[in-house]
Amino acid sequence: MIRIGLTGSIGMGKSTAAKLFAGAGIPVNDSDAVVHELYAGEAAQLIEAEFPGTVRNGVVDRQELGRQLSRRPDGFKTLEAIVHPLVRQRETEFVEREKARGSEIILLDIPLLFETGAETRVDIVVVVSCDPQIQRDRVLARPGMTEEKFNMIRSRQTPDAEKRERADYVIDTGHAIEITRARVIEIIGVLKARIAKGDFRNA
C-alpha cells in the first residue's frame, strides 16, 4: 500500500487537492478534519487546562485560542504537544483500516509534514503550491485573518521553495480547478503504473 503525504503552506490549496484525490477514489485522512473533531472532543479539556478560557460549550474557540497563541511564544509547542499525539493516533487507525481493506493507495493530508518529520511515514510526498500573491490573496480573504497572523503562521512553516525541492510531485493550484484535477489524475496514474511494475519508492 502506497502512502501519499500531501502537504503545502497555508493558502496553497491543500484541502482542494485532497478533495480531488478523494473524488478520484483515493482514501484520504484529513488532518484538519481530525483536529476539528478533537477540538470538539477529547482534546478540548486538555487545551482548556493549558489555555484557560478557550473552550466554550465543550468546543475549542479557535479565535480565542489564536489570540492566546499570539501572546505566548511557547504556545504553539504546548498546543502541538497536546494535539499531535492524538492526530497521529487517528492517522494510525486510518492506515490500519485501509490496509485491512486492501487499499492500493491512500493519502495522508499532513499540513506540517516536513516540520514534524512526517515524511518518514509516507512513501511519496506531494506538495501543493501556487504564486505567492495568489496565496496571500486567498489567506487574507479568510474571516478573521490579518497580515500579522498570516506572517506568524508562515514563519512557522517550511518555505514553499524548500517544500517544492523536497517533493516527489508538485501540484500548482494557481490555475483553473480542472488543471489541478488533471494533475491529480496524472499523479495517481503514474503511481498505479509503478505499482504494476513493483517500483514506486522513487516515483
Side-chain angles (χ1 to χ4, degrees), residues 125-158:
V125 173
V126 175
V127 167
V128 291
S129 182
C130 66
D131 181 85
Q133 187 59 47
I134 294 175
Q135 175 198 24
R136 184 177 182 281
D137 291 345
R138 286 174 178 171
V139 176
L140 292 180
R142 297 180 181 183
M145 183 59 66
T146 64
E147 190 88 42
E148 181 184 15
K149 187 175 178 182
F150 173 41
N151 290 333
M152 179 182 69
I153 293 171
R154 195 167 49 176
S155 72
R156 296 179 55 251
Q157 298 183 334
T158 300

Side-chain angles (χ1 to χ4, degrees), residues 185-196:
I185 298 300
E186 177 189 8
I187 291 170
I188 294 171
V190 170
L191 293 180
K192 287 186 173 181
R194 288 182 176 270
I195 289 172

